[in-house]
Amino acid sequence: RFCAGFAIAVWVGPWGREAFPDRQTDFGLTKAAISALGGGFSAIAGGVLSDILGERDASRRLYLPVAGSLGAAVCWGMMMDAQSFEWAMGWLLLQYLFAECWFGAAIATLQGQLPKEVQGGAQGAFSTLTVFGNLAPLLIGQASQHMPLADVLHATVPALYLGSAAAFALTCRALGEAAPKLDAETDRRSE
């Protein structure tokens, strides 16, 4: 998920300048508002929705980033294909609303599965995934030297989102299978 986010953060500006050369200022201002307001709203709403989904089964929290990653992939493709600035920005807003809902669910799931004494270290390790995420913009930059940036972004960003959806789905499945074992272990400790 970090790969898609960092790819967009680095490369959507150059793409926007190419796609809408007469609307560069509008693009910059609109993109900033979408990132701050749309992304911020999605992160908060995603965290609240994650809490609701996880009430009965913690693994269900991850349904949200699975759906969000899939929706973001579709919206990114639609944005890249949009024929006007207004439609492109509308799709970008929707992409942010889908994409940024993942963080609360991921952190809550991570912390909910670990003993309190290792949660800080696990959070630190999770944060180091940003190093891996920064590889995507580097690779996109290399690829864009050999083909148009728009083509590279149209192919890579949805693929990264689909990979993210698959990773969240596999984690959700693994947690669902482990839940009965965890419940039995907790019951034994409480006796």
Side-chain angles (χ1 to χ4, degrees), residues 79-98:
M79 183 202 73
M80 296 296 296
D81 290 336
Q83 298 300 310
S84 73
F85 174 80
E86 290 76 14
W87 276 104
M89 294 302 96
W91 285 112
L92 183 62
L93 173 60
L94 288 174
Q95 183 270 327
Y96 267 84
L97 291 173
F98 276 108

Side-chain angles (χ1 to χ4, degrees), residues 35-148:
S35 296
L37 301 175
F41 174 81
S42 179
I44 293 168
V48 171
L49 190 53
S50 161
D51 290 339
I52 293 167
L53 288 170
E55 283 178 357
R56 289 193 323 232
D57 177 0
S59 69
R60 291 178 60 192
R61 289 181 188 276
L62 296 180
Y63 291 174
L64 187 60
V66 170
S69 294
L70 293 173
V74 170
C75 291
W76 181 264
M78 297 300 288
M79 183 202 73
M80 296 296 296
D81 290 336
Q83 298 300 310
S84 73
F85 174 80
E86 290 76 14
W87 276 104
M89 294 302 96
W91 285 112
L92 183 62
L93 173 60
L94 288 174
Q95 183 270 327
Y96 267 84
L97 291 173
F98 276 108
E100 299 305 325
C101 68
W102 74 279
F103 202 71
I107 298 301
T109 301
L110 177 69
Q111 292 188 346
Q113 299 300 313
L114 298 172
K116 291 193 183 307
E117 57 271 8
V118 298
Q119 288 179 0
Q123 177 62 46
F126 176 77
S127 294
T128 62
L129 291 175
T130 60
V131 173
F132 176 71
N134 277 301
L135 293 176
L138 292 171
L139 296 174
I140 288 169
Q142 290 297 312
S144 69
Q145 292 178 0
H146 306 287
M147 58 191 301

Side-chain angles (χ1 to χ4, degrees), residues 1-11 129-137:
R1 177 52 196 86
F2 283 121
C3 291
F6 291 148
I8 292 168
V10 171
W11 291 107
L129 291 175
T130 60
V131 173
F132 176 71
N134 277 301
L135 293 176

